[in-house]
Amino acid sequence: MEAYKRRLKRQNMAMWCGIALLAALDVVLGIFWDDLGLDVFQMTQQARTMQSMLLFGFLIYFIVRLVKNKRRLKDPWAYEEEARRQGDEHRILVGEKAAKLSADLALAGLTVAVFFTSLYNMDMFQALYCALLAFVALRLAAWFYYSRKY
């Protein structure tokens, strides 16, 4: 249980760092947006709205997680129960299988998207192709890491 308690404390520190970085990024983008030299005519309102939603969404997520972790740390029964739930082998197995399947489907979908965008839009093709190469490199790196670890 002490290991789980230390993990919660490390998560809290990471959440505080994330909150500070997101707040700083939001302030910098809000204050210096015009001075950044970005061509605002290329960015649509939808893209700007998406940026704001991501910034505030992550900020809210970090705050909610921080509050939940602090509540768990105050109540020994709560973090013992959560530690047991986190160590449940069935839950871990289901999570691993779901992650593997979703990664395989995402790789297949990205490959199909790269193929079809190569037929009509070279800018989109280049972006998706680089994302596909990064995805494959990440997948190979993870495979090599885990094959050596286990």
Side-chain angles (χ1 to χ4, degrees):
M1 296 303 151
E2 286 301 316
Y4 182 70
K5 192 174 189 176
R6 285 192 304 273
R7 191 171 115 204
L8 279 180
K9 288 182 179 182
R10 279 194 314 268
Q11 281 181 5
N12 286 352
M13 288 304 299
M15 295 294 166
W16 277 115
C17 291
I19 288 169
L21 288 173
L22 283 173
L25 180 64
D26 194 33
V27 168
V28 166
L29 285 178
I31 294 174
F32 300 110
W33 179 256
D34 294 331
D35 298 333
L36 290 175
L38 300 173
D39 188 5
V40 294
F41 295 112
Q42 288 182 344
M43 181 179 286
T44 63
Q45 184 59 37
Q46 181 183 11
R48 185 75 174 128
T49 303
M50 183 268 319
Q51 283 181 345
S52 296
M53 287 181 1
L54 282 176
L55 281 174
F56 287 115
F58 275 115
L59 192 61
I60 289 169
Y61 172 75
F62 286 160
I63 291 170
V64 167
R65 284 287 306 265
L66 186 65
V67 168
K68 284 184 177 182
N69 284 353
K70 285 193 176 273
R71 284 184 185 159
R72 282 190 192 118
L73 284 171
K74 287 181 181 177
D75 183 13
W77 296 107
Y79 76 77
E80 284 181 19
E81 180 66 29
E82 183 63 21
R84 268 191 233 101
R85 192 182 77 78
Q86 292 287 330
D88 181 30
E89 292 177 7
H90 178 263
R91 188 180 118 4
I92 292 170
L93 179 67
V94 168
E96 288 173 355
K97 294 292 184 182
K100 171 91 170 70
L101 177 63
S102 62
D104 289 345
L105 292 175
L107 183 61
L110 191 56
T111 303
V112 169
V114 167
F115 175 77
F116 282 112
T117 57
S118 69
L119 299 174
Y120 66 90
N121 189 334
M122 284 299 111
D123 291 335
M124 190 185 309
F125 164 75
Q126 288 295 329
L128 287 175
Y129 184 67
C130 290
L132 178 64
L133 291 179
F135 192 105
V136 169
L138 179 64
R139 183 74 180 253
L140 286 174
W143 186 84
F144 282 124
Y145 172 76
Y146 285 113
S147 68
R148 291 187 184 274
K149 185 175 179 178
Y150 300 111

